[in-house]
Amino acid sequence: MKRTLGAVAITAVFALALTGCNTSTEAAGGDSALKGDAASATCDAAEIGAITRCENFYDDYWPEIDKQLDTLYEEAKKADGGTLVIWDWYELSPDVIEQFNKRFPDIKVETRGLTYNLSSAIISAKATGSRNTDVVSGSITSMAAMYDEGFWEKVDWESFGVPKEFLTIGAPELMPDSINGTLIQYNTDKVESVPETLDGLLAPEYKDKVSVAGYNAVVFAGYGMAEGEDKMVSLIDELMSSGNLKLLEDQGAPLSSGDVPIALNQTLFNPNPALQVSPFEHAGVWAQFSGVNSDAKNKPGAALWTLWNAFDPDWITLRMTDERFASTQVPFAGLPAATFAESTGLMKTNSDALLLGLDNGAETETQATRDDWQAMINAADKALNG
């Protein structure tokens, strides 16, 4: 369930190359039949960066969403024999599926992990008439090709009880279920602290000590959005020419051993107790979204999964406290502060850093700035990889 924005440029280009097989008009279809009847509530709002938090979510919104899940479950059991297909970057673990089936036992979940090929696999399945995923997911930028080709069913999530404040960063059919972002990972056995800015990594003491993966150009995109493309490219050139920054496809082992003790990356899922993460100025923190595939065979099941995964309080508590689920994404920052206060272990490490980044004004992609983000990622990718 961990998702990434890393290879966005490659994925988007490859996926778009396949779009001659169908048109966005065909994929998008008309308005969705998926509509709930939840009573409206009023958000007790608090801003955390670009995201609105509803502190009363579990008091006033969740009971209505919970009712909708029961209705969706009855419909999902009848659709495609109760089969729910979920493709993502990584396949769902049996432990995750088990938690879902504790409440919804009559849904058979089939899952695949496709990493870089996710968007192209979804588009190809539509073109060939193959069984497609029911659930679509990604960040605004990483799923751009899928969105432009109409693969996000226009579900009225507010009618299912989701706060309207959650639906303003992306298009209304994009239901936010988590957050991710760029962080500095570091080995405290080798370096006590890291700079608060990417420019700070130019200092001589960081020679040979910093790594980035060639596919992860997004770690520089927030800096570019704030400071401009020229300054971003100049920074990347200086970091590489100074010898401070190394291109490593596998950053994990050198980070854990301390051979290259600082990694520009995203959330951390290495249990080594020496490893920490830190937000930095102009880091990107973005929402991750899930939704219903317009080509789905089990649309009620997809809506059921999307709402359960994003909001079910028992499941969220497990994600926050059970190390079996440390590789799941940090829940959406619009949930109450108390939800994050209960986090432990790696989830606490990641959520504390991402929330601090948001609080400090992290750069956040929106539907309106999507193409600018994509252009900045492409420019950073060219600077890193030539």
Side-chain angles (χ1 to χ4, degrees), residues 15 29 54 67 69 88 128 142 144-145 153 155 169 173 177 179 208 212 214 239 241 292 299 339 342 376:
C54 292
K67 294 176 187 176
L69 296 187
D88 209 327
T128 60
S142 70
E153 185 86 358
V155 179
I169 295 177
E173 62 267 40
D177 64 4
I179 55 173
D208 297 324
V212 68
L239 284 168
S241 63
V292 178
K299 292 182 181 182
T339 300
E342 67 178 352
M376 206 61 66

Short mmCIF file of all heavy atoms in Angstrom, two decimals, residues 15 29 54 67 69 88 128 142 144-145 153 155 169 173 177 179 208 212 214 239 241 292 299 339 342 376:
data_model
loop_
_atom_site.label_atom_id
_atom_site.label_comp_id
_atom_site.label_asym_id
_atom_site.label_seq_id
_atom_site.Cartn_x
_atom_site.Cartn_y
_atom_site.Cartn_z
N ALA A 15 2.43 5.80 -20.13
CA ALA A 15 0.99 5.60 -20.15
C ALA A 15 0.34 6.38 -21.27
O ALA A 15 -0.54 5.87 -21.97
CB ALA A 15 0.40 6.02 -18.80
N GLY A 29 -17.28 8.45 -19.68
CA GLY A 29 -18.71 8.15 -19.64
C GLY A 29 -19.49 9.32 -19.07
O GLY A 29 -19.05 10.47 -19.08
N CYS A 54 -10.64 18.39 9.95
CA CYS A 54 -11.95 18.42 10.61
C CYS A 54 -11.83 17.71 11.96
O CYS A 54 -11.83 16.47 12.01
CB CYS A 54 -13.03 17.77 9.75
SG CYS A 54 -13.41 18.68 8.24
N LYS A 67 -22.75 4.20 7.93
CA LYS A 67 -24.03 3.71 7.39
C LYS A 67 -23.92 3.42 5.90
O LYS A 67 -24.48 2.44 5.39
CB LYS A 67 -25.13 4.73 7.63
CG LYS A 67 -25.49 4.97 9.09
CD LYS A 67 -26.52 6.08 9.20
CE LYS A 67 -26.79 6.46 10.65
NZ LYS A 67 -27.73 7.61 10.74
N LEU A 69 -21.35 2.45 4.30
CA LEU A 69 -20.56 1.24 4.07
C LEU A 69 -21.45 0.01 4.09
O LEU A 69 -21.24 -0.92 3.30
CB LEU A 69 -19.46 1.11 5.13
CG LEU A 69 -18.37 2.19 5.14
CD1 LEU A 69 -17.27 1.81 6.13
CD2 LEU A 69 -17.79 2.43 3.77
N ASP A 88 -2.14 -1.66 -7.31
CA ASP A 88 -1.43 -0.48 -6.80
C ASP A 88 0.04 -0.67 -7.10
O ASP A 88 0.43 -1.61 -7.78
CB ASP A 88 -1.68 -0.33 -5.29
CG ASP A 88 -1.63 1.12 -4.83
OD1 ASP A 88 -0.84 1.91 -5.40
OD2 ASP A 88 -2.35 1.47 -3.88
N THR A 128 -7.84 -3.59 -24.14
CA THR A 128 -7.94 -4.99 -24.57
C THR A 128 -9.20 -5.68 -24.06
O THR A 128 -9.44 -6.83 -24.41
CB THR A 128 -6.71 -5.79 -24.08
OG1 THR A 128 -6.65 -5.75 -22.65
CG2 THR A 128 -5.42 -5.20 -24.66
N SER A 142 1.14 11.71 -10.10
CA SER A 142 1.50 10.36 -10.52
C SER A 142 0.38 9.68 -11.30
O SER A 142 0.64 8.78 -12.09
CB SER A 142 1.89 9.50 -9.32
OG SER A 142 0.78 9.21 -8.50
N ALA A 144 -1.72 11.31 -13.36
CA ALA A 144 -2.20 12.27 -14.35
C ALA A 144 -2.73 11.60 -15.61
O ALA A 144 -3.78 11.98 -16.13
CB ALA A 144 -1.08 13.26 -14.70
N ALA A 145 -2.00 10.60 -16.12
CA ALA A 145 -2.44 9.93 -17.34
C ALA A 145 -3.77 9.23 -17.14
O ALA A 145 -4.67 9.31 -17.98
CB ALA A 145 -1.38 8.94 -17.81
N GLU A 153 -13.93 7.50 -11.92
CA GLU A 153 -15.38 7.67 -11.91
C GLU A 153 -15.76 8.92 -11.11
O GLU A 153 -15.20 9.19 -10.04
CB GLU A 153 -16.02 6.43 -11.27
CG GLU A 153 -17.52 6.40 -11.31
CD GLU A 153 -18.07 5.81 -12.60
OE1 GLU A 153 -17.25 5.46 -13.49
OE2 GLU A 153 -19.30 5.70 -12.71
N VAL A 155 -17.50 10.05 -8.76
CA VAL A 155 -18.26 9.72 -7.56
C VAL A 155 -18.52 10.98 -6.74
O VAL A 155 -17.63 11.82 -6.59
CB VAL A 155 -17.50 8.68 -6.71
CG1 VAL A 155 -18.29 8.35 -5.44
CG2 VAL A 155 -17.23 7.41 -7.51
N ILE A 169 -8.46 19.92 -2.75
CA ILE A 169 -7.09 19.90 -3.28
C ILE A 169 -7.06 19.29 -4.67
O ILE A 169 -6.42 19.79 -5.60
CB ILE A 169 -6.14 19.13 -2.34
CG1 ILE A 169 -6.03 19.87 -1.01
CG2 ILE A 169 -4.75 19.00 -2.96
CD1 ILE A 169 -5.19 19.15 0.01
N GLU A 173 -13.79 13.99 -7.65
CA GLU A 173 -13.84 12.51 -7.64
C GLU A 173 -12.60 11.89 -7.01
O GLU A 173 -12.54 10.68 -6.82
CB GLU A 173 -14.04 11.98 -9.06
CG GLU A 173 -12.94 12.31 -10.04
CD GLU A 173 -13.21 13.58 -10.84
OE1 GLU A 173 -13.71 14.55 -10.26
OE2 GLU A 173 -12.91 13.58 -12.05
N ASP A 177 -6.90 9.74 0.77
CA ASP A 177 -6.85 8.67 1.77
C ASP A 177 -5.57 8.67 2.58
O ASP A 177 -5.45 7.90 3.54
CB ASP A 177 -7.06 7.30 1.12
CG ASP A 177 -5.96 6.91 0.14
OD1 ASP A 177 -4.97 7.66 0.00
OD2 ASP A 177 -6.10 5.85 -0.51
N ILE A 179 -1.29 10.78 3.06
CA ILE A 179 -0.32 11.78 2.63
C ILE A 179 1.05 11.13 2.48
O ILE A 179 1.35 10.10 3.09
CB ILE A 179 -0.21 12.98 3.60
CG1 ILE A 179 0.12 12.51 5.03
CG2 ILE A 179 -1.47 13.82 3.56
CD1 ILE A 179 0.41 13.65 6.00
N ASP A 208 30.29 13.18 -0.19
CA ASP A 208 30.10 11.72 -0.26
C ASP A 208 29.08 11.19 0.74
O ASP A 208 28.98 9.97 0.94
CB ASP A 208 31.43 10.98 -0.04
CG ASP A 208 32.44 11.28 -1.13
OD1 ASP A 208 32.03 11.42 -2.29
OD2 ASP A 208 33.65 11.36 -0.80
N VAL A 212 20.59 10.19 -3.61
CA VAL A 212 19.24 10.28 -4.15
C VAL A 212 19.13 9.22 -5.25
O VAL A 212 20.13 8.89 -5.90
CB VAL A 212 18.94 11.70 -4.71
CG1 VAL A 212 19.77 11.98 -5.97
CG2 VAL A 212 17.46 11.88 -5.01
N GLY A 214 17.90 7.99 -8.90
CA GLY A 214 17.70 8.70 -10.16
C GLY A 214 16.24 8.85 -10.54
O GLY A 214 15.87 9.81 -11.23
N LEU A 239 25.27 20.22 -6.19
CA LEU A 239 25.34 19.07 -5.29
C LEU A 239 26.08 17.90 -5.93
O LEU A 239 26.87 17.21 -5.27
CB LEU A 239 23.93 18.64 -4.89
CG LEU A 239 23.21 19.50 -3.86
CD1 LEU A 239 21.73 19.14 -3.79
CD2 LEU A 239 23.85 19.36 -2.48
N SER A 241 28.25 18.09 -8.70
CA SER A 241 29.63 18.42 -9.07
C SER A 241 30.54 18.52 -7.86
O SER A 241 31.76 18.26 -7.96
CB SER A 241 29.67 19.73 -9.87
OG SER A 241 29.21 20.82 -9.08
N VAL A 292 -12.76 5.24 -7.72
CA VAL A 292 -13.40 4.14 -8.43
C VAL A 292 -13.02 4.22 -9.91
O VAL A 292 -13.14 5.27 -10.54
CB VAL A 292 -14.92 4.22 -8.27
CG1 VAL A 292 -15.61 3.10 -9.07
CG2 VAL A 292 -15.31 4.16 -6.80
N LYS A 299 -18.01 -1.49 -8.91
CA LYS A 299 -17.90 -0.09 -8.47
C LYS A 299 -18.34 0.11 -7.02
O LYS A 299 -17.67 0.85 -6.29
CB LYS A 299 -18.67 0.81 -9.43
CG LYS A 299 -18.04 0.87 -10.82
CD LYS A 299 -18.78 1.80 -11.77
CE LYS A 299 -18.10 1.79 -13.15
NZ LYS A 299 -18.77 2.72 -14.09
N THR A 339 -6.01 11.53 16.19
CA THR A 339 -5.75 10.33 15.40
C THR A 339 -4.25 10.11 15.26
O THR A 339 -3.75 8.98 15.37
CB THR A 339 -6.38 10.46 14.01
OG1 THR A 339 -7.79 10.64 14.16
CG2 THR A 339 -6.11 9.24 13.15
N GLU A 342 -1.89 9.08 18.57
CA GLU A 342 -1.75 7.71 19.05
C GLU A 342 -0.70 6.92 18.28
O GLU A 342 -0.44 5.76 18.62
CB GLU A 342 -3.11 6.99 18.94
CG GLU A 342 -3.59 6.75 17.53
CD GLU A 342 -4.91 6.00 17.46
OE1 GLU A 342 -5.38 5.52 18.53
OE2 GLU A 342 -5.47 5.88 16.37
N MET A 376 8.27 20.63 -13.44
CA MET A 376 9.40 20.76 -12.53
C MET A 376 10.06 19.41 -12.26
O MET A 376 11.29 19.30 -12.19
CB MET A 376 8.92 21.40 -11.21
CG MET A 376 10.02 22.13 -10.47
SD MET A 376 10.73 23.51 -11.40
CE MET A 376 9.32 24.62 -11.46
#
